[in-house]
Amino acid sequence: MIKAVAATGQLGTGFKAETLAHAAEGADFIGCDAGSSDPGPYYLGSGQTQSSDAAVRRDLELMIAAGLRHDIPVLIGSAGTAGAGPHLARTVRIVRELAAKHGWHFPLATVDSEVSAERVVRAYREGRLSPLAGAPDIDEESIRAAGHIVAMQGPECFADALGRGAQVVVAGRTSDTAIFAALPMLRDIPPGVAFHAAKILECGAAAVVERKYPDSMVAFLDPDGFTVEPPNPDMVCTPQSVASHTFYETADPFRLVEPGGTLVTTDAAYAPVSDRAVRVTGSTFEPAGDYTVKLEAASLLGYRTVVFAGVRDPLVVRQIDRFVATTNAVITGKVADSLGIAADDYRIRWNVYGRNGTLGPLEPATEVSGHEVALLIDIVAADQQAAQAIGSIAWHTALHQPIPEYSGLVSHLAFPVSPPAISAGPVYGFSLNHVLHLDDPAETYTLTVENV
Amino acid sequence: MTELHQLARLIRSKNAGPFELTIDVMFADEASYRRVVDAGVLGAERIAALYRVDPADVRLFRADVALAIKVSLPRPTPSGSPTDTDIFGGQFHSPIVCLEVP
């Protein structure tokens, strides 16, 4: 039997120290997912991380200490949110700093899964890229425009690192399940069991009935199935909580595609084994005809400035769509006159909170029903200076934009912050959602093992 | 008049990757689940109309073990793109919360 521990759902979001300490007793490994494409393209494109170094350091310190105490591996996947080179380097630096601080010595493996644009261009020419649902159109130019391209690895990279004696593995972009499926499969747990348990573990305590705060999760795996039990006595799993977590964030609840095949949960059975633990059996794994890795990339689209303002005057609120359209036209003219920037060279988006700010063009409600609305004026231009200059014109124009009911100089907007135009930095867009067909799972990662 | 949220334990939406959305409707009891399933409240045509997508792009699943109905559909715009309004897709379930259930 294998005891697998997930420290938390995302490295840097925390867990109770006593929960992990308890979970690590008798465990075979501790894993933690550190990233996702869920927070959008910014982190991949910019090389920035979602969690601060301080928060990541706190979680890693407890995890590595527990791993060394029990002499079990600690596995990190999708380091630094997006798993590209800068994210990996930042996480590895934190591990080295912790080792130096505590005088720890262990074999540290790093798995670099960033791929070069030229490599992807070559694959594109050879017809080895296939689009996934919603994939953007690509050409050689758009591939080369990407800031970073990462190849989402399966469990092979972790198995490789463990085979070379690693105690701590920090990997770039990997599938969430790869982190938790690798070691069980090395110890002859069938892939259907290993991947399904991994899917439950990768979000930490998310598969409990009520997750009051981020925390650890445990699964016990054997060749016939696995039992999932939250190590925190305040949390419980039920068959429904585990079954419903199986399909969290996946389009198809019964078929979860991995680099080497598909986890099939159609016949999975979920049975209570106590008032807190659930036994899962019946999942299978269909190996794929060929091995593929998903490529993710993000390209720079421009620089953003945002203005956030409240509108409370009922005469303005009731004509907010017309107000926005009129104001936008005036802004476009002023930007051309004052800055010499043509309308095609930047974009202004108006999100009217209270009207369509959340659902945008999908909003089915046609009338404003509240007493106030918020305006988010979102400007993206070629550089930050231009975006700021347009932002200044935008808020000043909107502030004093006349409406037919009043004569004289009006002030329609309430700004909660000064300055009203906030420089929001570079804007990225996802530019790849394709799989790359490989001859060998090891083709798109580089494993390095060193003694720290 | 019964609305969907009165029968469901949880109605949520989330990204399924940056280019797809998925909506989970989960029930606390078999009777409520069956009632919604049998009434065909979350039919592909209805979802397609609500979300202004092609009915052929709407994928419907029933997960009996979780007493859950799942609807997956393309995102109107990729997550985090300059025209996106909801990066995590966490509010896209809103239009179905008050659907009437016979």
Side-chain angles (χ1 to χ4, degrees):
Chain A
M1 190 171 72
I2 306 289
K3 181 180 181 184
V5 175
T8 189
Q10 186 171 347
L11 187 69
T13 61
F15 49 81
K16 283 193 148 188
E18 56 267 38
T19 306
L20 182 72
H22 167 58
E25 296 286 337
D28 290 278
F29 72 101
I30 298 168
C32 196
D33 182 18
S36 170
S37 61
D38 208 27
Y42 172 79
Y43 301 100
L44 177 57
S46 66
Q48 298 296 313
T49 60
Q50 183 185 338
S51 295
S52 68
D53 286 358
V56 169
R57 188 178 299 115
R58 182 271 181 191
D59 287 359
L60 277 176
E61 188 163 29
L62 291 165
M63 290 169 60
I64 297 172
L68 294 174
R69 186 180 318 123
H70 297 285
D71 194 25
I72 54 175
V74 174
L75 311 178
I76 308 295
S78 298
T81 312
H87 308 99
L88 182 64
R90 197 158 164 173
T91 309
V92 168
R93 174 174 53 75
I94 294 170
V95 172
R96 288 201 182 107
E97 286 168 0
L98 286 169
K101 173 184 166 187
H102 292 285
W104 290 336
H105 296 286
F106 50 81
L108 167 66
T110 58
V111 177
D112 184 346
S113 57
E114 181 162 345
V115 290
S116 73
E118 286 314 311
R119 165 84 200 268
V120 177
V121 165
R122 206 160 59 237
Y124 174 71
R125 287 181 185 158
E126 292 166 355
R128 295 169 81 92
L129 294 185
S130 305
L132 294 168
D137 292 334
I138 58 168
D139 54 26
E140 294 188 14
E141 192 186 352
S142 71
I143 294 168
R144 289 197 179 98
H148 300 282
I149 305 174
V150 291
M152 185 192 284
Q153 303 298 321
E156 291 78 6
C157 64
F158 289 105
D160 199 351
L162 291 168
R164 289 179 54 186
Q167 173 115 42
V168 175
V169 183
V170 181
R173 187 68 168 125
T174 65
S175 88
D176 299 346
T177 51
I179 308 159
F180 298 97
L183 186 145
M185 282 162 59
L186 279 178
R187 307 235 185 119
D188 297 324
I189 299 294
V193 175
F195 275 107
H196 196 166
K199 170 64 186 165
I200 301 302
L201 287 165
E202 57 101 351
C203 280
V208 302
V209 172
E210 189 180 358
R211 199 208 71 162
K212 295 175 182 128
Y213 42 84
D215 212 2
S216 311
M217 185 59 104
V218 164
F220 300 90
L221 299 84
D222 61 64
D224 299 320
F226 67 94
T227 298
V228 55
E229 179 173 0
N232 180 336
D234 286 344
M235 299 187 188
V236 298
C237 280
T238 64
Q240 191 187 26
S241 79
V242 176
S244 58
H245 190 72
T246 300
F247 55 68
Y248 182 62
E249 291 182 330
T250 61
D252 185 324
F254 304 117
R255 300 181 62 82
L256 285 76
V257 180
E258 292 293 329
T262 302
L263 169 65
V264 182
T265 65
T266 316
D267 297 322
Y270 305 80
V273 292
S274 73
D275 54 2
R276 304 184 53 251
V278 173
R279 170 88 176 156
V280 184
T281 53
S283 303
T284 57
F285 190 80
E286 286 176 2
D290 63 346
Y291 197 92
T292 58
V293 286
K294 187 168 89 154
L295 298 180
E296 296 172 345
S299 306
L300 181 68
L301 301 179
Y303 292 80
R304 168 175 276 149
T305 289
V306 292
V307 177
F308 190 75
V311 180
R312 180 65 178 81
D313 186 310
L315 303 187
V316 185
V317 169
R318 75 185 185 197
Q319 60 184 305
I320 192 68
D321 288 339
R322 191 173 66 195
F323 176 80
V324 165
T326 307
T327 308
N328 192 66
V330 176
I331 291 167
T332 308
K334 285 191 184 179
V335 168
D337 289 347
S338 302
L339 307 177
I341 301 176
D344 286 350
D345 292 334
Y346 65 98
R347 145 208 323 257
I348 303 185
R349 175 177 61 147
W350 299 75
N351 279 26
V352 184
Y353 285 91
R355 162 76 179 82
N356 62 1
T358 303
L359 293 182
L362 290 190
E363 178 53 59
T366 53
E367 297 296 322
V368 179
S369 57
H371 62 277
E372 70 180 10
V373 297
L375 290 177
L376 179 75
I377 314 173
D378 171 25
I379 296 137
V380 178
D383 57 59
Q384 195 69 64
Q385 196 181 3
Q388 277 300 108
I390 297 165
S392 293
I393 288 175
W395 70 254
H396 189 260
T397 302
L399 178 65
H400 297 305
Q401 179 63 34
I403 61 169
E405 291 85 345
Y406 293 136
S407 57
L409 185 64
V410 290
S411 291
H412 288 312
L413 302 190
F415 297 114
V417 298
S418 172
I422 302 163
S423 169
V427 180
Y428 297 86
F430 282 115
S431 58
L432 276 174
N433 192 40
H434 293 67
V435 292
L436 170 62
H437 298 261
L438 303 182
D439 296 322
D440 178 341
E443 268 177 57
T444 49
Y445 69 83
T446 306
L447 173 66
T448 310
V449 184
E450 60 179 308
N451 288 308
V452 298
Chain B
M1 184 179 80
T2 306
E3 296 181 334
L4 186 59
H5 66 90
Q6 294 172 297
L7 296 171
R9 177 175 68 78
L10 173 63
I11 307 173
R12 71 179 175 200
S13 63
K14 198 77 205 290
N15 293 337
F19 301 92
E20 287 184 287
L21 290 169
T22 190
I23 302 168
D24 300 336
V25 185
M26 290 181 278
F27 298 87
D29 61 272
E30 179 92 21
S32 298
Y33 171 63
R34 288 288 158 206
R35 179 172 164 189
V36 174
V37 167
D38 293 345
V41 172
L42 299 171
E45 293 287 340
R46 186 149 188 199
I47 294 292
L50 268 175
Y51 289 92
R52 294 165 216 181
V53 297
D54 187 333
D57 287 337
V58 178
R59 301 160 75 193
L60 289 174
F61 302 95
R62 280 168 35 201
D64 292 353
V65 285
L67 301 178
I69 301 170
K70 194 172 182 66
V71 180
S72 296
L73 62 166
R75 265 181 151 275
T77 183
S79 166
S81 69
T83 53
D84 186 24
T85 52
D86 183 358
I87 288 169
F88 291 88
Q91 285 292 297
F92 275 98
H93 64 285
S94 308
I96 69 166
V97 171
C98 295
L99 281 184
E100 272 184 54
V101 182

